[in-house]
């Protein structure tokens, strides 16, 4: 049988782990958006000029 303190510790660890995973997902999403924006900028800046 587990004690209430152990149960609380496990619950707090699970909540912290879930919060850490959510923060990592947000960070990765923002990095991906920045990367896509930078690629689009470079693609636009290095497009071939239209022929005259």
């Amino acid at each position: 049988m587990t004690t209430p303190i152990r149960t609380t510790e496990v619950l707090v660890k699970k909540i912290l782990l879930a919060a850490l995973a959510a923060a990592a997902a947000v960070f990765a999403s923002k990095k991906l958006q920045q990367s896509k924006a930078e690629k689009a900028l470079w693609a636009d800046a290095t497009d071939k000029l239209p022929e005259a």
Side-chain angles (χ1 to χ4, degrees):
M1 184 169 162
T2 60
T3 62
I5 293 174
R6 288 276 185 207
T7 304
T8 303
E9 287 176 4
V10 170
L11 181 61
V12 168
K13 286 180 183 179
K14 285 181 181 181
I15 291 171
L16 287 174
L17 184 60
L20 181 62
V26 168
F27 178 77
S29 175
K30 287 188 178 196
K31 280 295 198 181
L32 183 62
Q33 287 176 350
Q34 288 175 350
S35 176
K36 285 182 179 180
E38 188 171 350
K39 279 184 180 181
L41 180 64
W42 275 105
D44 189 41
T46 59
D47 277 345
K48 293 183 179 180
L49 295 174
E51 294 183 18

